[in-house]
Amino acid sequence: MESEDTTKTQEMKTDLNLLLECLKYQMDNAFSQKEALVTIHSICQQNSNASVYFREIGGLMFVKNLAKSSEHSMVKEAALYTLGAIAEKNVYCQQTLCTSELFEDLTWFLSNDSNINLKRMSVYVILVLVSNNRTGQTLVRETGCITVLSRLFRTVISKHELDLSDKNVFQSYQLWSSVCSTLCVCVNNPQNDENQMFCCSLFPHANEWLKNCMTPEIIRPICSFIGLTLANNTYVQKYFVSVGGLDVLSQVLMQLESDSHETLSSAKLAVVVTKTVDACIADNPTFGIVLSKYHIVSKLLALLLHESLDSGEKFSIMLTLGHCTEDCEENQYDLFKNNGLPLMIQALTESQNEELNKAATFVLHNCKKITEKLSLSLGEYPFDENETQQLKDISVKENNLEEHWRKAKEILHRIEQLEREGNEEEIQRENYQDNISSMNISIQNTWKHLHADQIGRGSKAEDEDKSHSRQLQSYKSHGVMSKACTNDDQMKTPLKSTNPVHACYRESEQNKTLYKAKSSCNQNLHEETTFEKNFVSQSSDHVFKHPVHIAKNIKQQLPVTDPFTLCSDIINKEVVSFLATPSCSKMLTYRCSGCIAVEKSLNSRNFSKLLHSCPYQCDRHKVIVEAEDRYKSELRKSLICNKKILLTPRRRQRLSNESTTPGGIKKRRIRKNFTEEEVNYLFNGVKKMGNHWNSILWSFPFQQGRKAVDLAHKYQKLTKHPTCAAS
């Protein structure tokens, strides 16, 4: 395998050397040079080491000089394409080509009256050199290359109506799209504040394109350019809003949302615009007031209901809703008025996506204050700047807003009620824990007391029995609820306490899981657990009503306790039955230790000790103990009589009997002379395998009984006396 790789590497080096020589000696033949450059590109794409070797032999610099000095346009295009592909494949080649000289040459190609293909290849090389390279971002600005790219962004496509079926228009569009991609890597990845400040001058032109040409071919590149230029730069974001960019994006989003009901592509395109809007307001939530003029929140809610969107696209919409409602009461009210809160709650309960749940929680947390405000002062929320017009329309709006205000009061009331119930449950849980601890201590004392007083207590024992029975019954009723609450604590998961919706969702899920765990854990407590489940579910039915959600794959792990705790229900039954008898002189029905040892890791040794130490053996275990004792006694007798007991395995005993005589004398193996065939086998095996006697023994059909040491001794004798072929 290594020889094949070495051969391929050597062939690759030979091919690159020959192709480089062809480039040098075919300066007058443009077609041959183009074919050689295309072949070099193909080799470098197939083998990652080819780019490094081509750089080492000086081919990279020769192709760069060829692109600059060649008189043929086709050779320049092929040379630039090869340079870009090699630099994209290998970072060392990218650093070698990242020089101010090359950027100046590329700027000259873009400024000169070159054909569109040569300009496209030049833009491609700039894109590769700048991508993930801060040095390239600096050089593209210092050499003036980014100025030329900005001019191409404005002038390559002069008309706002694109006819991509026209070949010339399509080539111009391809160049313009490449320029947009190159500007994107100039300002971001890594982020470059200076290039962002320079490119913000293109925002007015981008706004004109968005207004006049709402096609995917234009909206996608421009939204990518705007979003990356705005990212994490508050100054650029303010400038974009000042030139009306956010208004234009809002208008485009409204149009795309209305078209999304008819075409799927419009919904996907609306998500792209939504991401751009979010990039603009993420660091400046106050800009959300601009979006409120166009009721963008209602449009985003309608877009969120689109069935064709995946979870990632819905997450982008919810995140934008969160930033819109973070510091803008108008958008919060718009969300509330368009039933956004139930939609967020539904997404929170139905979705299993953690990121989507966090976004929905973010939106709900933002709207908590507006819900309280609407509940406290119904008519004081100002949504219109003109108070006179507001007074004229208040009679018309009153009927419409009354229902929303009623919903706000109801939601706020449910949140407060949920918080009160949580506090009450914590107090009850502490009381239940105290009761269960006292119950366990009392049961243990009762059990010891009954053991000590097994025989005859008279009338005094009867009085104590009555008091003990009442106490045990009360403890039992309290113990059921306390166990349920203890398991309820274990089933809780940590969620954000600031979010009331999470609290509601948490209570609902715990009720369902609690009932499953209790019913499978202990059948004796079925009635009490059913009562508890109904009680807890009734307390949460008047909280938020959300779609039914079934918790899947939830495992309840029982706590590890001692055998006394695990068998407490059996002990309770026996104690109660004993106390129900007219007299205490009746002997208790004791249990066998072998029957009640449920949590110990038993084996053949400790189980026997456990049975022997138990004074109350059942019939089955008594038979087992007697049989074991008889077997041990027989072993002792045989040991005394024979004074030796052979305990070796059967297989080893059989082999020992074969190799020894009845008198205990070892047998001698029968001598078998080597035949001529065996000698030939031996020599062939040594020739192929060396002195690996076991491998030779198993590779050739030697006689039965031959061993590896026999082959070694025979070969040693044959080498000392080669005339002896067989003995």
Side-chain angles (χ1 to χ4, degrees):
M1 190 67 180
E2 294 180 358
S3 59
E4 293 180 0
D5 294 339
T6 305
T7 303
K8 291 181 179 180
T9 303
Q10 191 62 35
E11 292 176 354
M12 175 267 294
K13 293 181 179 180
T14 303
D15 293 341
L16 289 178
N17 287 323
L18 292 176
L19 290 169
L20 183 58
E21 293 297 325
C22 179
L23 287 176
K24 293 179 181 179
Y25 292 101
Q26 295 291 334
M27 298 298 292
D28 296 333
N29 192 340
F31 183 77
S32 298
Q33 286 186 325
K34 179 182 177 181
E35 292 296 326
L37 290 169
V38 172
T39 308
I40 292 172
H41 167 267
S42 178
I43 294 174
C44 292
Q45 290 294 315
Q46 295 176 1
N47 194 333
S48 59
N49 297 325
S51 301
V52 179
Y53 180 74
F54 192 67
R55 178 176 66 90
E56 292 176 354
I57 63 177
L60 197 64
M61 301 307 296
F62 181 82
V63 174
K64 186 186 77 168
N65 296 329
L66 182 64
K68 179 179 179 180
S69 60
S70 178
E71 298 178 355
H72 304 283
S73 178
M74 62 188 312
V75 176
K76 290 183 177 181
E77 296 171 9
L80 291 175
Y81 182 66
T82 305
L83 289 176
I86 294 175
E88 186 177 7
K89 193 73 175 178
N90 187 272
V91 66
Y92 297 107
C93 296
Q94 181 193 39
Q95 297 296 331
T96 303
L97 293 174
C98 192
T99 60
S100 59
E101 181 183 359
L102 181 57
F103 276 102
E104 290 174 357
D105 294 338
L106 296 173
T107 303
W108 186 82
F109 289 149
L110 295 175
S111 302
N112 199 9
D113 294 334
S114 305
N115 57 48
I116 292 182
N117 288 333
L118 182 58
K119 290 183 179 180
R120 283 186 61 198
M121 294 301 106
S122 301
V123 173
Y124 169 63
V125 175
I126 297 172
L127 173 66
V128 172
L129 295 180
V130 175
S131 181
N132 299 319
N133 187 3
R134 188 171 295 277
T135 305
Q137 292 177 340
T138 303
L139 290 175
V140 78
R141 183 181 67 254
E142 292 177 351
T143 57
C145 188
I146 193 172
T147 305
V148 179
L149 291 173
S150 302
R151 184 167 64 250
L152 291 175
F153 180 82
R154 295 187 184 95
T155 60
V156 168
I157 303 177
S158 58
K159 297 181 180 180
H160 293 297
E161 295 181 1
L162 290 178
D163 184 11
L164 298 181
S165 60
D166 189 356
K167 182 179 179 180
N168 295 329
V169 175
F170 183 70
Q171 289 181 349
S172 299
Y173 170 75
Q174 287 182 324
L175 175 59
W176 180 82
S177 179
S178 301
V179 170
C180 288
S181 301
T182 306
L183 289 173
C184 289
V185 298
C186 287
V187 299
N188 213 309
N189 197 19
Q191 181 180 347
N192 192 296
D193 295 336
E194 295 180 358
N195 289 349
Q196 284 180 329
M197 296 285 290
F198 181 87
C199 290
C200 68
S201 61
L202 299 175
F203 285 157
H205 188 77
N207 292 339
E208 291 296 326
W209 271 109
L210 291 175
K211 289 180 182 179
N212 298 309
C213 189
M214 293 181 58
T215 59
E217 292 81 8
I218 295 296
I219 291 179
R220 289 184 182 275
I222 288 184
C223 284
S224 299
F225 168 70
I226 293 175
L228 292 175
T229 307
L230 292 172
N232 302 322
N233 195 322
T234 56
Y235 177 83
V236 178
Q237 293 171 1
K238 292 178 181 179
Y239 178 76
F240 181 72
V241 174
S242 65
V243 297
L246 195 56
D247 296 272
V248 174
L249 288 176
S250 302
Q251 296 172 6
V252 173
L253 182 59
M254 292 173 59
Q255 183 63 37
L256 291 175
E257 191 279 326
S258 62
D259 297 340
S260 64
H261 302 287
E262 300 177 357
T263 59
L264 174 62
S265 59
S266 297
K268 299 290 184 180
L269 205 58
V271 176
V272 175
V273 179
T274 301
K275 293 179 181 179
T276 308
V277 172
D278 185 58
C280 182
I281 66 174
D283 299 323
N284 290 283
T286 55
F287 292 157
I289 192 66
V290 180
L291 302 177
S292 64
K293 297 187 298 184
Y294 302 95
H295 302 287
I296 293 299
V297 172
S298 61
K299 302 298 180 182
L300 293 176
L301 291 174
L303 187 63
L304 189 62
L305 297 175
H306 209 283
E307 298 178 354
S308 63
L309 301 181
D310 56 20
S311 59
E313 293 169 335
K314 290 183 179 180
F315 170 74
S316 300
I317 297 174
M318 283 191 178
L319 190 61
T320 306
L321 284 171
H323 289 142
C324 288
T325 57
E326 186 175 2
D327 197 17
C328 182
E329 293 186 351
E330 287 81 357
N331 289 330
Q332 293 174 8
Y333 174 73
D334 201 7
L335 179 75
F336 181 77
K337 183 176 62 176
N338 291 276
N339 293 326
L341 294 182
L343 189 61
M344 294 297 107
I345 296 173
Q346 182 179 4
L348 190 65
T349 55
E350 294 181 353
S351 175
Q352 301 296 329
N353 191 333
E354 184 179 358
E355 296 296 330
L356 204 62
N357 292 340
K358 289 181 180 179
T361 305
F362 179 41
V363 177
L364 291 171
H365 181 70
N366 293 338
C367 297
K368 184 178 180 180
K369 292 183 179 180
I370 189 64
T371 306
E372 296 175 354
K373 184 174 182 180
L374 289 176
S375 301
L376 296 175
S377 55
L378 299 182
E380 298 178 359
Y381 191 83
F383 296 104
D384 294 331
E385 298 179 356
N386 193 344
E387 290 187 3
T388 305
Q389 187 66 27
Q390 182 180 1
L391 292 174
K392 292 181 180 179
D393 299 339
I394 192 170
S395 58
V396 179
K397 291 183 178 180
E398 185 176 359
N399 295 330
N400 296 330
L401 297 181
E402 183 178 357
E403 182 179 358
H404 300 298
W405 288 335
R406 182 178 55 81
K407 291 181 180 179
K409 293 178 63 178
E410 183 179 355
I411 291 175
L412 184 61
H413 176 68
R414 290 171 182 174
I415 293 173
E416 295 176 352
Q417 189 173 11
L418 186 62
E419 292 177 352
R420 288 196 304 270
E421 290 177 359
N423 296 331
E424 293 176 358
E425 289 179 358
E426 291 181 358
I427 297 173
Q428 293 178 1
R429 196 171 294 112
E430 294 177 357
N431 296 332
Y432 291 152
Q433 290 177 354
D434 296 337
N435 290 336
I436 189 61
S437 60
S438 61
M439 183 271 289
N440 289 333
I441 296 173
S442 178
I443 289 179
Q444 291 178 0
N445 295 333
T446 304
W447 179 252
K448 294 178 182 178
H449 177 73
L450 291 174
H451 270 284
D453 300 333
Q454 295 175 6
I455 303 172
R457 287 288 179 162
S459 61
K460 180 180 180 180
E462 293 179 0
D463 298 335
E464 292 179 354
D465 292 341
K466 295 179 181 180
S467 62
H468 282 310
S469 61
R470 289 193 298 269
Q471 186 177 8
L472 287 173
Q473 289 176 359
S474 63
Y475 281 142
K476 183 177 179 182
S477 61
H478 288 290
V480 171
M481 297 301 292
S482 63
K483 289 180 181 178
C485 292
T486 304
N487 289 334
D488 185 38
D489 291 336
Q490 295 177 354
M491 291 301 297
K492 285 189 178 181
T493 55
L495 295 175
K496 293 185 177 179
S497 59
T498 55
N499 186 8
V501 182
H502 267 181
C504 171
Y505 179 57
R506 179 173 68 251
E507 292 296 331
S508 177
E509 288 299 319
Q510 289 168 0
N511 297 338
K512 299 171 186 176
T513 311
L514 180 63
Y515 177 70
K516 294 180 180 179
K518 296 298 182 303
S519 60
S520 63
C521 176
N522 194 349
Q523 296 180 356
N524 295 328
L525 305 179
H526 177 70
E527 295 180 358
E528 288 83 356
T529 310
T530 306
F531 168 76
E532 181 198 4
K533 182 249 182 185
N534 295 332
F535 173 77
V536 180
S537 61
Q538 288 175 3
S539 64
S540 61
D541 284 342
H542 56 273
V543 197
F544 296 119
K545 295 182 179 180
H546 49 74
V548 179
H549 179 71
I550 300 175
K552 299 181 180 179
N553 300 329
I554 296 180
K555 297 181 180 180
Q556 176 73 11
Q557 184 176 2
L558 291 174
V560 179
T561 58
D562 56 337
F564 180 81
T565 305
L566 292 174
C567 299
S568 60
D569 56 343
I570 301 175
I571 295 172
N572 292 341
K573 288 184 178 179
E574 291 184 355
V575 173
V576 172
S577 63
F578 174 78
L579 295 175
T581 58
S583 66
C584 294
S585 62
K586 183 179 179 181
M587 293 292 294
L588 289 173
T589 305
Y590 296 107
R591 301 296 298 272
C592 176
S593 299
C595 298
I596 65 175
V598 295
E599 274 297 317
K600 296 181 180 179
S601 57
L602 300 177
N603 52 40
S604 60
R605 295 181 179 179
N606 57 17
F607 187 68
S608 177
K609 293 180 181 179
L610 180 68
L611 292 180
H612 280 84
S613 63
C614 178
Y616 312 104
Q617 297 174 353
C618 63
D619 295 337
R620 181 167 61 90
H621 288 107
K622 186 179 295 183
V623 172
I624 294 175
V625 172
E626 293 175 355
E628 184 180 357
D629 293 340
R630 286 196 302 271
Y631 176 71
K632 289 182 179 180
S633 63
E634 292 176 1
L635 284 180
R636 293 191 190 98
K637 292 179 182 179
S638 63
L639 179 62
I640 296 173
C641 295
N642 299 332
K643 294 183 180 180
K644 183 179 180 181
I645 299 176
L646 187 63
L647 298 177
T648 57
R650 291 184 177 182
R651 177 177 176 82
R652 186 180 299 175
Q653 184 178 0
R654 179 174 56 81
L655 295 176
S656 176
N657 293 335
E658 290 178 357
S659 61
T660 59
T661 60
I665 303 173
K666 293 184 178 180
K667 286 185 178 181
R668 184 182 180 88
R669 285 194 302 158
I670 301 174
R671 179 183 177 85
K672 295 181 181 180
N673 293 334
F674 278 77
T675 62
E676 293 183 3
E677 294 181 353
E678 286 184 303
V679 173
N680 293 332
Y681 294 154
L682 182 58
F683 280 112
N684 292 334
V686 173
K687 184 177 180 180
K688 294 180 179 178
M689 307 176 190
N691 295 335
H692 299 285
W693 308 113
N694 276 326
S695 301
I696 297 173
L697 179 64
W698 290 100
S699 301
F700 297 95
F702 290 96
Q703 296 185 47
Q704 187 175 3
R706 290 277 187 242
K707 296 183 179 180
V709 67
D710 298 337
L711 301 184
H713 291 164
K714 184 62 178 177
Y715 183 75
Q716 185 179 7
K717 293 179 181 180
L718 290 175
T719 53
K720 290 182 179 180
H721 306 284
T723 56
C724 181
S727 60

